[in-house]
Amino acid sequence: MKAHDGMYIDGAWRPAAGKDVIEVVNPADEQVIATVPAGTAEDVDAAVRAARAALPGWAATPPAERAARLAALRDVLVAREEEIAETVTAELGSPLAFSRTVHVGVPIAVAGSYADLAATYVFEEKVGNSTVYHEPVGVVGAITPWNYPLHQIVAKAAPALAAGCTIVLKPAEDTPLTARLLAEAVHEAGVPAGVLNLVTGLGPVAGQALVEHPDVDLVSFTGSTAVGRRIGATAGAAVKRVALELGGKSANVILPSADLARAVNVGVANVMANSGQTCSAWTRMLVHRDQYDEAVELAATAAAKYGDRIGPLVSAAQRARVRGYIEKGIAEGARLVAGGPESPRDKGYFVSPTVFADVTPEMTVAQEEIFGPVLCVLRYEDEEDALRIANGTVYGLAGAVWAGDEAEAVAFARRMDTGQVDINGGRFNPLAPFGGYKQSGVGRELGTYGLAEYLQTKSLQF
Ligand code: NAP
Ligand code: MG
């Protein structure tokens, strides 16, 4: 058990204003592994002051130098990959191999992409008789969730740094240790004092103080739609910019011409990865009625094969929420073909890979984000029916389409109300814009689109 007593503010680890702490629990064995300070409004204020003081210097730093710091950050993440992966596994519970390749691998790629973009982005352009400058928005308040604890920080911090913004980060209470390593990495990378500050703490205390702070210019939030809605309202009342990356209930549409076995197997893997704690997971599989029984059998077999190779959920509260949804699915008449609400182990917050068949579009399990290893398989009559079901939730974050012919899949994807669609198992692209249609959010992350969120324009006329 390690008791950390500092928060990273103005380039140094400083004691918190108050005495309260947060216990960090390993979800695989339910042991307390560390404590971190539970920051208050006073700590947030100190961090925002540091970020404000550092802003003019960092904003005026040549983009090539900001690019060099981002490249150094990427190199530190590479050098400390194993330590970070072990920390993610300890506080989130994901299998170590997944922590290495995804939880650390993706942030390395994203930090590298912003090192390149900072060096090449056009921060100044001529439009007729005007010069347009793309200037940093200012002090960013970043609030992140636990499900991809490093990626979700880097997806905000890297573009903010590239843009010339300064940052106060409030990470999730469940995964503060990964955030501490990121702050150490930023320090090691030679990013000047005050440019990135870390306040650990509870959402309704430290998070809310950050959102309400009058000297924060932009709030960037990833998490639940319920909290995002409140943050958006608070930011709106203060005429403050806000970016919201919220929940999803994405559809995996398998058209009749597709390679059914491949589409189902990749679809199951997509949902079970990270124990289903992925906002963009394709948690609704849509299959034509003629192929439905075969697809359900394939999905049940694939899910059962995962057994206990998936990790636990992040917390007892998350497990209780997911089990509640599984019980609700059974009560509403969905047919359980794999998994179920019972715990597969005595210790740890595990839930078995679960598949529901005979799910109809209006059922709770087909409408609400479960955020656990639970797949719903729905039956469609024809393509129009599939489209209506795919678009029939309040969300629109991601999705997948499978067809024998790429053009057929693309034509369907173009009609989906969603921000990102994988065609026939397309690969992750760290430069592609990521973000939601409808209630899945406001704004985009990654690549040039993510960078633009942290910039505002000024035009001079000649
Ligand atoms: P959450 O409450 O929305 O947490 C996200 C972040 O917001 C955390 O850092 C949280 O702090 C903070 N926060 C909470 N209340 C706040 C407030 N009033 N003001 C400012 N910040 C606040 O999400 P959760 O409770 O961890 O998870 C609940 C559900 O949200 C999940 O079951 C899932 O459905 C969804 N979720 C979605 C995503 C996504 O990527 N879209 C990610 C995580 C969760 P604390 O850590 O202290 O709560
Ligand atoms: Mg919460």
Side-chain angles (χ1 to χ4, degrees), residues 82-107:
E82 192 59 22
E83 179 192 5
I84 302 171
E86 281 170 9
T87 302
V88 172
T89 290
E91 64 181 357
L92 176 67
S94 49
L96 192 57
F98 190 80
S99 297
R100 285 193 192 107
T101 53
V102 177
H103 286 299
V104 193
V106 173

Side-chain angles (χ1 to χ4, degrees), residues 38-75:
T40 60
E42 215 177 308
D43 300 303
V44 168
D45 188 54
V48 173
R49 281 167 195 274
R52 177 59 60 187
L55 181 64
W58 185 244
T61 299
E65 169 59 16
R66 299 202 299 259
R69 292 308 110 224
L70 281 159
L73 173 62
R74 177 204 50 212
D75 293 346

